[in-house]
């Protein structure tokens, strides 16, 4: 069982802020982007992924979840017709990440396939101002006394700390890779069986841990291995979905000094449980000769798609 | 026998009354007898013709396209499974004869005219293509197109609306970045056994086409409303020719030869508007090969299963016309195997047969989605494009579907032929070493860009 967000916060020395940061909100509210026309396309894409994609009656989650993601990314990518600097992005699938850090004398490591990663050539500017970062000093991390914070984590003997740049590169890419800044991580919970999927709380925790891992590896690559407060905070975004419910997250790494629990903390903005649509009916439901639920997508929420697009455009627009 | 409607079939030679009634008989106010037509249930050729005609009538009158497709493929019988990616020798000749396709080497005339730099910009303006990629003045230093004198006073065609030309240097760097990321920079595990194509060329193609389509969407508004699909399914079912049933309880009967293509392209771009025609509907650009043998000699095998017609999405999708497909050749058809077995001339056959079969299936399924079928032939040509590649060597195909009428009765008086333009396979690059791509071939990239920029004249 993966730790919940509260536990993840303690492990990564992070303060939680509800909702998305104002910079992203600003992109969403910017009328010059023409987000209204894209709503129609987004609705088509949802219908395509959920209803029309296969010759069978209804596609299964293993099919429609990645398909929906691909379609949404396609719409976002097509914006690079208007903003050519958007083409300086590259999607990497099945990339492996590894990061190690110490937290109050416990050595922690994040490893594994972190889903789909979008890299960009340029950094995302820090989302929180200097004052907000300094204000986190006063924030006290929630502890779980008497439960140890490492409950439910797998204890493993680590023989090779994977942060050294030897032949194993922590970021998953070799040196000299031009798209060196991790921009957004995407997590698709596409297992057909509900018990194989992460619940929303667990998904958010997983997103936080991997975003932290990527940011930490990038910070160590940029500023060296010594633990310190970063002048240039590293921002990594993360989006998780199971095909209908979306979780949005913006993580800002302010410090690599993670041994103590005082001092500047990292910041994370989470917007959780955003529905993109209410239901997708492939075949109309008919009860006693009357159509109770017509076929099609009902309850489409354009705001969720706007947030997706805003997170995509963040850093370039 | 029920009288069907008010059709009056006057059969010559059955006028028993002509001897008794003097002069021309005045037509009675209402028919005295029901029309004399063949039986529906008898075991006779006339009855079979009448049943066929009733079936055709039913399909013509179907209310929706889904109903039409359902009736079209209702009867299941053993059919030949045609595989676009096949190792059969000279398969492209057989596939051309099954689909009544003429193969024209090289690319269609408008693409050939658009390729040479700048000078023919005026000639291409009426075909509605974007102006050739010329280097933009403030472009990066390594742009090779600088030699192509962008300073001439050629204005972009008015329909393009003063869109700037795509920068070939930038596109080349995009392509190289995609290639390097997949083959060099990203840490990946070793490829699975015999699955080399999924390890590097597959992701590279996805990245390449998706980033190119995105960056070219500013120049081609059709791409801005397109739909990109990874690993879709394309199916088509048709009849062509006749044979005698060999064994079984239906032995001795004359049956149409049935074919089914089930294809899984690597990538598919679909658009809401149709691509323009390349040549007029009735043009004749060559001959269709005639093969006297049974299709099973290719070898092709028969199986009976669902008769599917599918373009990649259901009929309700607004993006129902095809633009470009990308096919990735699997490991079992790689060049080294053919060279080892001393079948070098079959390498091109593989690319051609894949292009012809896949594009025929796609365009014909698109036509069926618009309501055409072999009794109601298309009234406008359906055009689609495809890129067949094994990761390094690229071959480009453009297909124009002029006719769907391929079964035995309708093909008799049908002069139309389908046309496929195709190139030979050329390498995109020579080798990737140490973070550098050596020997990058701009022509191949240019051709891909031309494909993606293709759009109807109005846009």
């Amino acid at each position: 069982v993966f730790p919940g967000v509260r536990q993840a916060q303690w492990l990564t020395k992070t303060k939680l802020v509800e909702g998305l940061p104002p910079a992203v909100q600003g992109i969403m509210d910017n009328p010059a982007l023409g987000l209204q026309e894209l709503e129609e396309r987004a609705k088509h894409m949802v219908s395509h992924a959920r209803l029309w994609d296969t010759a069978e009656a209804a596609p299964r989650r293993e099919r429609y979840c990645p398909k929906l993601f691909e379609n949404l990314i396609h719409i976002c990518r097509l914006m690079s017709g208007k903003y050519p600097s958007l083409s300086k992005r590259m999607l990497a699938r099945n990339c492996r990440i590894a990061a190690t850090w110490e937290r109050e004398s416990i050595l922690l490591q994040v490893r594994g396939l972190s889903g789909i990663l979008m890299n960009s050539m340029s950094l995302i500017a820090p989302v929180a101002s200097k004052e907000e970062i300094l204000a986190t000093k006063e924030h006290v991390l929630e502890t779980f006394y008497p439960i140890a914070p490492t409950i439910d984590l797998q204890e493993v003997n680590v023989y090779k700390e994977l942060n050294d740049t030897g032949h194993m590169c922590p970021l998953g890419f070799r040196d000299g890779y031009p798209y060196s800044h991790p921009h957004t991580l995407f997590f698709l919970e596409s297992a057909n069986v509900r018990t194989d999927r992460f619940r929303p709380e667990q998904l958010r925790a997983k997103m936080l841990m991997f975003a932290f891992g990527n940011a930490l590896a990038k910070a160590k690559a940029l500023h060296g291995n010594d633990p310190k407060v970063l002048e240039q905070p590293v921002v990594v975004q993360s989006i998780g979905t199971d095909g209908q419910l979306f979780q949005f997250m913006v993580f800002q790494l302010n410090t690599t000094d993670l041994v103590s629990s005082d001092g500047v903390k990292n910041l994370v903005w989470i917007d959780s449980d955003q529905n993109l649509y209410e239901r997708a009916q492939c075949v109309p439901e008919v009860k006693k000769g009357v159509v109770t639920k017509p076929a099609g997508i009902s309850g489409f929420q354009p705001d969720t798609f706007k947030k997706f697009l805003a997170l995509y455009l963040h850093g370039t627009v | 026998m029920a009288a069907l409607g008010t059709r009056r079939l006057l059969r010559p030679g059955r006028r028993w009354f002509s001897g008794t009634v003097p002069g021309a008989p005045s037509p009675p106010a209402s028919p005295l007898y029901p029309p004399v037509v063949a039986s529906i249930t008898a075991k006779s050729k006339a009855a079979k013709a009448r049943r066929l005609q009733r079936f055709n009538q039913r399909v013509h009158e179907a209310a929706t396209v889904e109903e039409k497709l359902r009736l079209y493929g209702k009867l299941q019988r053993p059919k030949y499974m045609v595989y676009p990616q096949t190792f059969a020798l000279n398969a492209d000749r057989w596939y051309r004869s099954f689909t009544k396709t003429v193969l024209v080497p090289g690319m269609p005339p408008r693409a050939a005219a658009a390729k040479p730099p700048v000078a023919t910009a005026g000639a291409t303006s009426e075909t509605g293509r974007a102006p050739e990629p010329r280097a933009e003045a403030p472009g990066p230093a390594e742009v090779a197109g600088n030699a192509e004198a962008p300073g001439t006073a050629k204005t972009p065609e008015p329909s393009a609306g003063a869109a700037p030309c795509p920068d070939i240097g930038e596109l080349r760097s995009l392509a190289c970045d995609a290639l390097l990321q997949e083959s060099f920079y990203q840490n990946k595990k070793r490829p699975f056994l015999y699955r080399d194509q999924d390890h590097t060329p597959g992701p590279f193609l996805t990245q390449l086409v998706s980033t190119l389509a995105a960056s070219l969407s500013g120049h081609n508004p059709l791409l801005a409303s397109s739909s990109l699909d990874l690993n879709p399914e394309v199916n088509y079912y048709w009849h062509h020719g006749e044979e005698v049933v060999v064994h079984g309880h239906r032995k001795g009967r004359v049956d149409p030869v049935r074919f089914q293509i089930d294809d899984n392209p690597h990538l598919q771009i679909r658009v809401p508007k149709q691509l323009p025609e390349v040549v007029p509907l009735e043009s004749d650009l060559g001959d269709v090969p005639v093969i006297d043998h049974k299709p099973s000699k290719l070898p092709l095998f028969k199986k009976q299963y669902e008769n599917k017609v599918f373009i990649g999405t259901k009929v309700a999708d607004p993006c129902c016309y095809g633009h470009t497909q990308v096919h990735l050749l699997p490991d079992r058809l790689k060049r080294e195997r053919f060279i080892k077995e001393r079948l070098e001339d079959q390498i091109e056959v593989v690319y051609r047969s894949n292009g012809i079969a896949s594009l025929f299936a796609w365009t014909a399924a698109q036509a069926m989605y618009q309501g055409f079928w072999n009794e109601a032939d298309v009234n406008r040509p359906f055009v689609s494009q495809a890129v067949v590649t094994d990761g390094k060597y690229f071959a480009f195909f453009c297909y124009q579907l002029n006719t769907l009428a391929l079964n035995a009765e309708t093909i008799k008086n049908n002069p139309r032929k389908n046309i496929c333009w195709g190139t030979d396979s050329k390498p995109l690059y020579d080798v990737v070493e140490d973070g550098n791509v050596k020997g990058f071939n701009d022509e191949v990239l240019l051709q891909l860009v031309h494909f993606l920029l293709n759009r109807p004249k109005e846009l």
Side-chain angles (χ1 to χ4, degrees):
Chain A
V1 174
F2 225 89
V5 177
R6 285 163 48 206
Q7 191 176 359
Q9 278 180 263
W10 188 91
L11 292 170
T12 59
K13 199 173 166 189
T14 310
K15 177 178 164 199
L16 171 68
V17 180
E18 290 287 339
L20 287 175
V24 179
Q25 280 287 347
I27 300 180
M28 272 175 66
D29 301 326
N30 185 357
L33 292 174
L35 293 181
Q36 296 300 117
E37 301 93 60
L38 290 178
E39 275 178 36
E40 190 59 38
R41 294 217 61 214
K43 199 157 175 207
H44 277 314
M45 290 306 182
V46 171
S47 312
H48 172 255
R50 277 309 300 261
L51 304 175
W52 303 327
D53 179 38
T54 156
E56 305 146 22
R60 320 203 64 180
R61 194 182 291 261
E62 274 162 350
R63 213 185 143 106
Y64 76 67
C65 187
K67 198 59 82 129
L68 179 61
F69 165 71
E70 295 291 338
N71 286 345
L72 292 176
I73 283 285
H74 181 58
I75 305 183
C76 298
R77 253 201 300 253
L78 286 177
M79 297 285 285
S80 64
K82 263 203 247 176
Y83 302 102
S85 45
L86 274 183
S87 56
K88 304 267 182 288
R89 304 263 183 100
M90 224 20 123
L91 266 185
R93 291 154 212 271
N94 299 329
C95 59
R96 331 189 69 219
I97 180 61
T100 326
W101 71 99
E102 220 184 284
R103 195 72 187 89
E104 285 197 5
S105 75
I106 312 168
L107 193 62
L108 298 164
Q109 190 182 61
V110 153
R111 253 220 261 188
L113 294 175
S114 65
I116 305 173
L117 173 62
M118 183 164 68
N119 291 308
S120 97
M121 276 188 179
S122 50
L123 274 178
I124 311 182
V127 185
S129 58
K130 293 265 183 223
E131 297 80 26
E132 284 177 1
I133 301 175
L134 290 173
T136 57
K137 274 194 194 169
E138 280 83 53
H139 176 75
V140 174
L141 288 174
E142 217 182 322
T143 51
F144 312 99
Y145 190 80
I147 307 177
T150 53
I151 190 170
D152 287 337
L153 290 181
Q154 199 184 15
E155 197 176 304
V156 159
N157 286 326
V158 176
Y159 297 111
K160 242 193 291 190
E161 277 202 20
L162 284 177
N163 269 344
D164 6 299
T165 54
H167 41 265
M168 294 278 279
C169 304
L171 275 173
F173 296 93
R174 288 202 211 180
D175 296 328
Y177 183 50
Y179 299 88
S180 51
H181 298 277
H183 186 277
T184 315
L185 284 160
F186 298 97
F187 295 93
L188 306 176
E189 293 299 317
S190 49
N192 269 336
V193 181
R194 189 164 53 88
T195 42
D196 288 342
R197 294 199 292 272
F198 276 66
R199 286 196 299 277
E201 176 73 17
Q202 297 168 341
L203 180 60
R204 287 196 288 275
K206 174 163 118 166
M207 285 159 61
L208 179 52
M209 299 299 282
F210 276 107
F212 173 77
N214 268 300
L216 188 66
K218 185 68 205 165
K220 292 200 177 171
L222 281 179
H223 304 291
N225 275 339
D226 310 320
K228 58 172 178 262
V229 177
L230 302 170
E231 284 125 36
Q232 272 285 23
V234 177
V235 177
V236 174
Q237 298 172 146
S238 182
I239 302 183
T241 175
D242 68 348
Q244 184 163 352
L245 219 54
F246 279 75
Q247 327 281 343
F248 300 104
M249 175 185 299
V250 181
F251 178 81
Q252 175 165 323
L253 185 78
N254 295 322
T255 169
T256 50
D257 175 17
L258 300 158
V259 179
S260 65
S261 284
D262 326 312
V264 173
K265 318 270 184 312
N266 304 315
L267 282 165
V268 71
W269 290 260
I270 299 190
D271 203 4
S272 46
D273 292 338
Q274 305 289 311
N275 244 335
L276 184 57
Y277 53 93
E278 286 301 324
R279 74 168 37 245
Q281 197 79 14
C282 293
V283 183
E285 193 176 306
V286 180
K287 286 212 169 123
K288 295 193 191 171
V290 176
V291 176
T292 44
K293 290 177 193 151
I297 304 285
S298 63
F300 179 69
Q301 306 273 357
D303 284 332
T304 316
F305 172 67
K306 280 192 196 159
K307 287 179 188 163
F308 187 97
L309 185 58
L311 281 180
Y312 182 90
L313 295 172
H314 186 211
T316 326
V317 168
Chain B
M1 188 186 79
L4 286 170
T6 54
R7 263 174 293 148
R8 301 173 53 159
L9 292 174
L10 287 175
R11 295 260 179 119
R14 289 209 186 193
R15 298 204 189 156
W16 301 310
F17 313 116
S18 51
T20 51
V21 175
S26 56
S30 65
L32 292 175
Y33 293 97
V36 182
V37 287
S39 151
I40 302 181
T41 49
K43 192 181 171 187
S44 66
K45 290 203 179 77
K48 183 153 190 257
R50 181 131 181 263
R51 284 196 291 271
L52 196 57
Q53 200 244 344
R54 274 163 60 98
F55 169 73
N56 291 344
Q57 191 72 18
R58 232 175 118 193
V59 179
H60 275 301
E61 284 161 3
T64 60
V65 174
E66 285 101 338
E67 181 64 18
K68 237 183 218 184
L69 291 177
R70 189 189 74 88
L71 287 174
Y72 176 74
K74 197 162 86 130
L75 180 62
Q76 279 190 19
R77 288 258 192 260
K79 56 192 176 183
Y80 287 111
M81 296 178 294
V82 176
Y83 292 101
Q85 294 178 333
T86 173
F87 47 75
L89 300 181
N90 291 325
D92 68 324
R93 277 198 76 225
W94 289 79
Y95 288 179
R96 273 185 281 152
S97 81
F98 296 151
T99 61
K100 205 178 178 193
T101 310
V102 171
L103 181 67
V104 179
M107 274 285 112
R110 47 149 197 186
K115 265 178 131 173
V118 183
T120 49
T124 56
S125 58
E126 71 267 23
T127 56
R129 307 290 309 271
E132 302 80 54
R134 299 193 290 253
E136 286 177 323
E142 86 245 34
V143 165
N146 265 327
E148 297 167 0
T152 54
K154 293 266 189 264
T155 53
E157 32 182 275
S159 56
C165 324
D167 185 4
I168 194 65
E170 218 177 284
L171 298 172
R172 188 195 305 128
S173 66
L174 269 181
C176 289
D177 281 337
L179 185 55
L180 286 171
Q181 177 191 316
E182 293 305 331
S183 48
F184 183 72
Y185 282 123
Q186 192 173 347
N187 286 340
K188 292 186 188 177
K189 287 181 153 168
R190 281 177 49 193
F192 198 78
L193 184 62
Y194 297 133
R195 295 269 185 96
D196 282 321
Q197 298 294 82
D198 296 338
H199 186 252
T200 308
F204 159 57
L205 279 177
T206 325
Q207 286 279 24
L208 176 70
V209 179
S210 44
T211 39
L212 276 184
S215 55
L216 289 173
S217 62
H219 305 276
N220 185 356
L222 192 63
L223 278 182
S225 48
S226 67
S227 178
L228 190 91
D229 235 353
L230 297 182
N231 224 11
E233 221 186 299
V234 173
N235 310 84
Y236 185 61
Y237 166 75
W238 78 104
H239 297 177
H240 178 69
E242 273 184 336
E243 64 173 1
V244 177
V245 178
V246 168
H247 61 271
H249 67 280
R250 303 182 71 236
K251 177 172 173 180
R253 298 180 206 191
V254 174
D255 244 9
V257 181
R258 305 174 187 90
F259 298 91
Q260 167 92 35
I261 292 185
D262 295 315
D263 188 24
N264 284 309
H266 185 73
L267 209 156
Q268 193 184 67
I269 298 181
R270 280 188 322 275
V271 287
K273 292 201 179 60
Q274 206 176 342
L275 286 178
E277 65 175 31
V278 181
V279 286
L281 196 55
E282 304 279 347
S283 22
D284 187 353
L285 294 181
D287 285 322
V288 178
V290 171
I291 298 186
D292 293 325
H293 302 280
K294 274 179 76 160
S296 56
K297 298 268 185 245
L298 174 59
L300 276 183
F301 299 97
K302 280 198 174 183
K303 200 162 89 156
Q304 176 175 323
Y305 57 103
E306 192 196 340
N307 299 329
K308 268 207 277 202
V309 176
F310 194 64
I311 64 167
T313 39
K314 297 197 179 133
V315 185
D317 196 342
C319 287
C320 52
Y321 293 104
H323 190 271
T324 314
Q325 257 182 350
V326 177
H327 297 266
L328 184 61
L329 292 179
D331 256 345
R332 63 174 189 272
L333 295 175
K334 56 186 186 192
R335 294 175 100 92
E336 293 80 23
R337 283 207 184 187
F338 282 100
I339 295 173
K340 203 163 65 161
E341 290 167 26
R342 288 190 289 227
L343 290 168
E344 287 90 357
D345 46 342
Q346 298 296 321
I347 296 180
E348 291 304 323
V349 167
V350 168
Y351 288 87
R352 283 203 293 263
S353 55
N354 195 354
I356 292 176
S358 307
L359 281 175
F360 170 74
W362 203 26
T363 45
Q366 288 169 44
M368 288 210 80
Y369 269 34
Q370 302 305 311
F372 301 108
W373 58 299
N374 54 20
E375 299 289 330
D377 211 356
V378 297
N379 57 7
R380 57 187 194 270
F382 283 77
V383 174
S384 289
Q385 303 166 135
V387 180
V388 182
T389 171
D390 67 346
K392 190 169 156 193
Y393 287 84
F394 284 69
F396 298 91
F397 295 91
C398 178
Y399 196 93
Q400 173 164 327
L401 184 86
N402 292 325
T403 173
L404 274 182
L406 298 173
N407 63 346
E409 298 96 44
T410 48
I411 208 175
K412 277 184 212 146
N413 298 325
N414 189 8
R416 301 188 199 166
K417 297 173 193 162
N418 303 320
I419 311 171
C420 180
W421 289 266
T423 65
D424 283 343
S425 55
K426 296 194 186 71
L428 180 65
Y429 58 93
D430 279 335
V431 71
V432 176
E433 258 173 26
D434 288 338
N436 286 322
V437 177
K438 300 216 161 70
F440 193 86
N441 187 354
D442 271 349
E443 264 184 45
V444 175
L445 184 63
L446 257 175
Q447 183 59 281
L448 184 57
V449 166
H450 277 299
F451 264 20
L452 288 172
L453 286 175
N454 195 2
R455 58 182 192 258
K457 297 186 184 55
E458 311 83 57
L459 287 183

